[in-house]
Amino acid sequence: MLLNRRSLTALTAASVTVAVLSDQARAAARSSFKAIAFDGFPIIDSRPVFARVEEMFPGKGAELSASWRIRQFEYGWLRTLGGRYTDFWRVTEDALIFAARAMKIELSSEQRERLMQTYLELKAWPDAEPALRQLCDAGVRMAFLSNLTAPMLDAVIRNSGLEGLFEAHLSTDRVQAFKPDARAYRMGVDAFGLRKEEIVFAAFAGWDVAGAKWFGYPTFWVNRSHAIVEELGVVPDGTGSGLNDLVAFVTA
């Protein structure tokens, strides 16, 4: 009986050691992260776009915004699959026209232009600048890896005072394929000159989490909308509601 107790004690101690080593291994993996590839929207606060939709079409803003956003991404995916790429600005405008027509909303050219222009007036989320500067001070390289066009990304950097923090934009215009196509995610490996395991992909949407994981990136979900995980067979390596959580994950 005494021998059995000793055996049990030894086994328990070994199990604890394994758990500690596992935690240490995870921390070591995180400490090897050298770069972050950002989707646009963990940093860009797009809420003013949808607020303006409601302002222009009272009582219909939420439905029109939802339809616009869904069609926006569907058009990107369809154009990639069909080999008929056009940039995200054009896709966004086409999606707006369709969404308004589907709801039988009269959308004038002036209203369409005003809504599109809002994308060039967007700023970063309030937590973005301090978190990004902390990452920069830690020596972490950063770049947008986004469906958005370079001028759209330039605008938010300019509007938010984020100059000098990012390397060259990895817009899908470079490869003529929207995420989650592997050609889009591969831009991060090519641009940073690093292994996949050394680059964290920071996603805003659940489908983008899945795409980045399928490609092979360690992935952090900046889940600002508190959405549920997509049923696509993968989960993020880390998740949080803002960029401070991403900083903790990367610099652990």
Side-chain angles (χ1 to χ4, degrees), residues 133-215:
R133 295 197 181 280
Q134 187 175 349
L135 289 166
C136 187
D137 290 344
V140 178
R141 299 167 62 189
M142 296 179 287
F144 281 111
L145 198 165
S146 173
N147 286 339
L148 276 65
T149 66
M152 295 171 81
L153 296 170
D154 283 338
V156 74
I157 286 176
R158 183 173 58 253
N159 297 342
S160 307
L162 300 179
E163 294 88 347
L165 296 176
F166 294 93
E167 298 187 14
H169 302 321
L170 305 178
S171 167
T172 51
D173 290 346
R174 289 191 179 200
V175 293
Q176 304 283 285
F178 290 111
K179 295 180 295 178
D181 192 287
R183 288 170 289 177
Y185 295 114
R186 190 172 293 114
M187 290 190 294
V189 176
D190 295 341
F192 287 125
L194 298 171
R195 294 177 291 110
K196 293 177 186 178
E197 311 88 76
E198 298 175 307
I199 303 168
V200 175
F201 185 83
F204 179 80
W207 63 263
D208 209 7
V209 169
K213 285 292 293 180
W214 290 337
F215 181 73

Side-chain angles (χ1 to χ4, degrees), residues 9-121:
T9 301
L11 181 60
T12 302
S15 299
V16 171
T17 302
V18 169
V20 170
L21 288 175
S22 179
D23 289 341
Q24 290 172 344
R26 285 193 290 269
R30 286 199 288 270
S31 69
S32 69
F33 295 150
K34 297 179 180 177
I36 304 174
F38 281 95
D39 174 49
F41 294 109
I43 293 173
I44 302 169
D45 182 358
S46 63
R47 291 176 298 178
V49 174
F50 309 119
R52 182 152 290 158
V53 175
E54 177 61 30
E55 175 187 313
M56 294 173 65
F57 303 102
K60 299 179 179 179
E63 184 179 355
L64 179 56
S65 293
S67 178
W68 181 15
R69 185 165 178 79
I70 290 169
R71 190 63 59 170
Q72 189 180 40
F73 288 99
E74 286 179 345
Y75 277 177
W77 298 331
L78 287 168
R79 283 188 170 277
T80 298
L81 286 170
R84 295 292 186 270
Y85 184 87
T86 189
D87 70 31
F88 193 73
W89 183 267
R90 172 65 184 278
V91 164
T92 298
E93 188 170 24
D94 289 346
L96 173 59
I97 293 169
F98 177 88
R101 188 185 304 141
M103 290 182 61
K104 296 181 171 53
I105 292 174
E106 292 293 332
L107 181 70
S108 69
S109 58
E110 292 79 11
Q111 289 172 321
R112 184 176 74 246
E113 183 177 346
R114 187 71 189 100
L115 286 172
M116 290 296 298
Q117 183 64 28
T118 308
Y119 270 97
L120 300 179
E121 300 168 0

